[in-house]
Amino acid sequence: MPMVEFAGPSVRDDRNRIGHSGRLINCYREPVMTGGRTRAVLQAVPGMQLHETLPSVFMRAMRTIDGALYVACGGYLYQITTGAAVNLGAITDSEETTIAGHDGYVTVVAGGSYYVWNGATLTSPAVGAITDHGSVDHVSSYTIISERNGKRFEWSALADATSLPGLNFASATERDDDLLRVVAINGAVWLFGTASTEIWYETGLSGADAFAQMAGAAKDTGLKAFGLVCTFNGGAFFVGDDDLVRVTSGADFEVVSMPGVVSAIKDSSPSKCIYYEDRGHKFCAIVFDDRPAWVFDLATREWHERSENVMHEPWGVTASAKLGADWFVGRNNGDISKLAEIYTDEATPLVREAISATLYMDGERTTLAELEFFAPVGRQDAGREPVLEFFISSDGGETWGKGRTIGFGAIGAYGKRLIWRALGRHRQITAKVRISDPVDALLYSDARVRLA
């Protein structure tokens, strides 16, 4: 009666559903040290705990600057510290919104306009070389602004985000495409265009000579859309114009997508890339308008999926940022939620599912005599015993039979086994388990199978 790997990473390709059925939804694999009882446990993704609801809709961008969270939502810039959100003033409401900051300034580019919050007032400084602004970031003590629907970028005076000298600009000229985003990565300026990417560095000189292009650092890969890039400490994660997902490594790109992710990018509506951390894992997520998010774990190099509600609707977040020790996400309804180990999404169930690879029986009907899963037991929650639901499919996961349930046991019932028997005869078997209760129920990625 061998132990077999029941749950691997999410790999199912909607263009080739029979190729592999494996999915992880709202859980990810946490490796176990060699010699343990299993190769990995299935850890729940962090749930969303409502922190504050802004009096506006359409969350465009979030960023933490000098110990405060700044949020662009519904045509206003808000500041959030420990109390209620403070409305700092009106900005253009646009999907093309970015926030940056340095030396006491908070800078915003939204819908072609540039804004600066100096700690007291929100102003629109006099334009410099560029009149239609695309995005903003900062390197050292310079504010860097890209041109909207153009090839140029400009930088502020040193340590003064309100001053945009007319000669402080340059053009991305290696390829014939327009810029989409300027992003600061490891102290360098990355210019993401529609079909190429260039890297510029700070020269140590001043004024118009403050930045120069890095030799040999022009890539024939651009950015698919304005929102499809996010940064983390030491790098960036983005969707290229060729629908492949890449992670930056120094001045190089590493492709990390697999067919299921690429199919989703091609066939669905990716809207944002966001970054967050949980239990030492660093996650980069591609959020879609019409399907669960694909999430890449930089630690394990594996993918899982993130959804909401019992029907696995799209994960409705549009921005993320870290404030203090906690990560926060913003939603288009104005909600700002803390990511926490609560196993619910703003009071709705965080439904975790794991779907196995399909086991083929060489065309012969085989009896599945026993299937046993392993998880912490004795986990009674609020007077009701939490349950593990189990389903079997005989067609590769396209349809599922009637579900069965088994309890995790009341508090102290540690000897209980999560085992099903007499599961019928099948030519092929796909298994699915589901946990809907708000408990920390780690499930092993390995299961015990006995065929008769």
Side-chain angles (χ1 to χ4, degrees):
M1 293 183 289
M3 292 282 287
V4 299
E5 184 176 71
F6 160 72
S10 273
V11 294
R12 194 187 75 171
D13 182 354
D14 284 340
R15 289 190 174 190
N16 180 24
R17 296 168 71 98
I18 65 172
H20 202 298
S21 54
R23 299 182 74 182
L24 287 183
I25 306 175
N26 294 335
C27 51
Y28 61 90
R29 300 199 335 153
E30 179 88 61
V32 173
M33 293 294 291
T34 301
R37 191 173 178 182
T38 181
R39 282 165 280 192
V41 296
L42 304 186
Q43 174 69 49
V45 300
M48 295 186 293
Q49 184 177 57
L50 184 62
H51 178 74
E52 186 159 357
T53 299
L54 300 179
S56 306
V57 294
F58 301 119
M59 191 81 62
R60 305 304 191 184
M62 299 171 60
R63 191 148 185 179
T64 302
I65 301 168
D66 295 333
L69 185 63
Y70 292 87
V71 181
C73 183
Y76 295 95
L77 179 66
Y78 294 91
Q79 181 192 67
I80 300 174
T81 51
T82 56
V86 178
N87 189 331
L88 302 181
I91 59 175
T92 302
D93 181 41
S94 171
E95 291 185 358
E96 296 183 352
T97 299
T98 48
I99 301 174
H102 66 88
D103 298 294
Y105 296 105
V106 176
T107 58
V108 181
V109 165
S113 299
Y114 175 57
Y115 305 89
V116 176
W117 169 257
N118 63 6
T121 58
L122 183 68
T123 61
S124 295
V127 298
I130 296 173
T131 57
D132 193 8
H133 304 94
S135 63
V136 65
D137 213 328
H138 77 275
V139 170
S140 297
S141 291
Y142 291 101
T143 297
I144 314 294
I145 304 172
S146 64
E147 184 175 28
R148 192 183 190 190
N149 301 318
K151 303 177 183 300
R152 297 180 297 172
F153 70 102
E154 66 180 342
W155 50 93
S156 68
L158 187 66
D160 187 357
T162 64
S163 176
L164 300 176
L167 296 180
N168 286 13
F169 74 94
S171 295
T173 57
E174 286 291 326
R175 305 292 187 268
D176 188 21
D177 60 332
D178 290 337
L179 296 180
L180 277 178
R181 286 281 293 271
V182 57
V183 179
I185 305 173
N186 283 335
V189 178
W190 289 61
L191 303 175
F192 287 95
T194 57
S196 68
T197 303
E198 294 184 16
I199 305 175
W200 289 58
Y201 66 96
E202 186 180 359
T203 63
L205 303 177
S206 61
D209 298 318
F211 292 90
Q213 184 181 359
M214 186 179 296
K219 307 291 185 181
D220 288 321
T221 300
L223 187 64
K224 183 176 178 66
F226 184 88
L228 296 182
V229 59
C230 62
T231 60
F232 52 87
N233 186 22
F237 171 94
F238 71 98
V239 180
D241 62 309
D242 56 1
D243 296 322
L244 299 181
V245 183
R246 292 173 171 84
V247 172
T248 63
S249 177
D252 296 323
F253 296 155
E254 176 192 0
V255 175
V256 296
S257 50
M258 48 85 179
V261 175
V262 176
S263 292
I265 292 168
K266 288 178 177 291
D267 299 337
S268 300
S269 300
S271 57
K272 289 279 188 174
C273 288
I274 68 165
Y275 172 79
Y276 62 97
E277 299 176 8
D278 181 53
R279 300 171 59 90
H281 293 255
K282 301 176 184 295
F283 295 115
C284 301
I286 308 171
V287 178
F288 294 80
D289 294 332
D290 52 356
R291 59 148 292 135
W294 277 102
V295 186
F296 182 68
D297 186 344
L298 289 169
T300 63
R301 319 301 281 183
E302 293 183 350
W303 291 87
H304 65 273
E305 300 170 70
R306 182 63 164 92
S307 69
E308 290 188 43
N309 303 322
V310 296
M311 299 304 294
H312 293 309
E313 296 174 354
W315 193 26
V317 302
T318 60
S320 66
K322 186 178 183 181
L323 181 61
D326 298 312
W327 281 90
F328 292 83
V329 292
R331 302 158 65 82
N332 273 335
N333 63 0
D335 286 355
I336 297 175
S337 297
K338 183 174 74 172
L339 297 181
E341 295 182 15
I342 57 173
Y343 315 105
T344 57
D345 281 335
E346 298 182 1
T348 63
L350 178 64
V351 180
R352 290 149 274 169
E353 285 189 0
I355 301 175
S356 73
T358 299
L359 178 63
Y360 296 94
M361 309 295 188
D362 294 327
E364 298 295 329
R365 285 190 176 275
T366 303
T367 298
L368 180 55
E370 288 185 353
L371 184 58
E372 182 175 9
F373 295 94
F374 300 91
V377 292
R379 306 286 297 196
Q380 191 177 33
D381 175 52
R384 183 176 68 84
E385 184 180 9
V387 299
L388 179 69
E389 298 177 86
F390 172 67
F391 306 82
I392 283 182
S393 170
S394 295
D395 57 11
E398 294 297 321
T399 60
W400 299 94
K402 184 179 179 179
R404 308 185 186 192
T405 61
I406 191 169
F408 282 102
I411 293 176
Y414 297 117
K416 188 166 184 177
R417 298 177 69 184
L418 305 177
I419 186 170
W420 285 272
R421 296 183 174 90
L423 296 171
R425 292 173 62 80
H426 309 269
R427 287 192 174 92
Q428 60 180 17
I429 301 169
T430 310
K432 173 171 70 175
V433 292
R434 175 192 293 155
I435 302 172
S436 303
D437 294 287
V439 295
D440 181 15
L442 294 175
L443 190 68
Y444 291 2
S445 67
D446 294 296
R448 185 182 64 84
V449 177
R450 184 167 71 85
L451 303 176

Coordinates of all heavy atoms in Angstrom, one line a residue, residues 47 51 118 127 133 151 163 168 305 359 365 391 399:
G47 N -5.7 34.6 4.2 CA -7.1 35.2 3.9 C -7.0 36.7 4.0 O -6.0 37.3 4.3
H51 N -9.7 45.8 6.7 CA -9.0 46.8 7.5 C -9.7 48.2 7.4 O -9.9 48.8 8.4 CB -7.5 47.0 7.0 CG -6.8 48.0 7.7 ND1 -6.3 47.9 9.0 CD2 -6.4 49.3 7.4 CE1 -5.6 48.9 9.4 NE2 -5.7 49.8 8.4
N118 N 3.8 67.0 -0.6 CA 5.1 67.4 0.1 C 4.9 67.3 1.6 O 5.8 67.8 2.4 CB 5.5 68.8 -0.3 CG 4.5 69.9 0.1 OD1 3.5 69.6 0.8 ND2 4.7 71.1 -0.3
V127 N 5.4 71.5 -15.8 CA 6.0 70.4 -16.6 C 7.4 70.7 -17.0 O 7.8 71.9 -17.1 CB 5.1 70.1 -17.8 CG1 3.7 69.6 -17.3 CG2 5.0 71.3 -18.7
H133 N 2.4 62.5 -19.0 CA 3.2 61.6 -18.2 C 2.6 60.2 -18.2 O 1.4 60.1 -18.1 CB 3.3 62.2 -16.8 CG 3.8 63.6 -16.7 ND1 3.0 64.7 -16.7 CD2 5.1 64.0 -16.7 CE1 3.8 65.8 -16.7 NE2 5.0 65.4 -16.6
K151 N 8.6 57.9 -26.3 CA 9.8 57.2 -26.1 C 10.7 57.8 -25.0 O 11.7 57.2 -24.6 CB 10.6 57.1 -27.4 CG 9.9 56.5 -28.5 CD 10.8 56.5 -29.8 CE 10.0 55.9 -31.0 NZ 9.6 54.5 -30.7
S163 N 10.7 69.9 -8.9 CA 11.4 70.6 -10.0 C 11.7 69.6 -11.1 O 12.4 68.6 -10.9 CB 12.7 71.2 -9.4 OG 13.5 71.7 -10.5
N168 N 16.6 67.7 -18.4 CA 16.8 66.4 -17.8 C 15.9 65.3 -18.4 O 14.9 64.8 -17.8 CB 16.5 66.5 -16.3 CG 17.5 67.2 -15.5 OD1 18.4 67.9 -16.1 ND2 17.5 67.2 -14.2
E305 N -3.2 28.6 -7.6 CA -4.2 29.6 -8.0 C -4.9 30.2 -6.8 O -4.9 29.6 -5.7 CB -5.2 28.8 -8.9 CG -4.6 28.2 -10.1 CD -5.6 27.3 -10.9 OE1 -6.6 27.8 -11.4 OE2 -5.3 26.1 -10.9
L359 N -4.8 9.2 -12.6 CA -4.1 7.9 -12.6 C -4.8 7.0 -13.6 O -6.0 6.7 -13.6 CB -4.3 7.3 -11.2 CG -3.7 5.9 -11.0 CD1 -2.2 5.9 -11.2 CD2 -4.0 5.3 -9.6
R365 N -10.5 -1.8 -16.0 CA -11.2 -1.4 -14.7 C -10.5 -1.9 -13.5 O -10.2 -3.1 -13.4 CB -12.6 -1.8 -14.8 CG -13.5 -1.0 -15.7 CD -15.0 -1.3 -15.5 NE -15.8 -0.5 -16.3 CZ -16.2 0.7 -16.0 NH1 -15.9 1.2 -14.8 NH2 -17.0 1.4 -16.8
F391 N -13.9 13.9 -3.5 CA -14.6 13.7 -4.8 C -13.8 12.8 -5.7 O -12.6 12.9 -5.7 CB -15.0 15.0 -5.5 CG -15.8 16.0 -4.7 CD1 -15.1 16.8 -3.8 CD2 -17.1 16.1 -4.7 CE1 -15.8 17.8 -3.0 CE2 -17.8 17.0 -4.0 CZ -17.2 17.8 -3.1
T399 N -16.0 16.1 -14.8 CA -17.2 16.0 -14.0 C -16.8 15.2 -12.7 O -15.9 14.4 -12.7 CB -18.3 15.2 -14.7 OG1 -17.9 13.9 -15.1 CG2 -18.8 16.0 -15.9

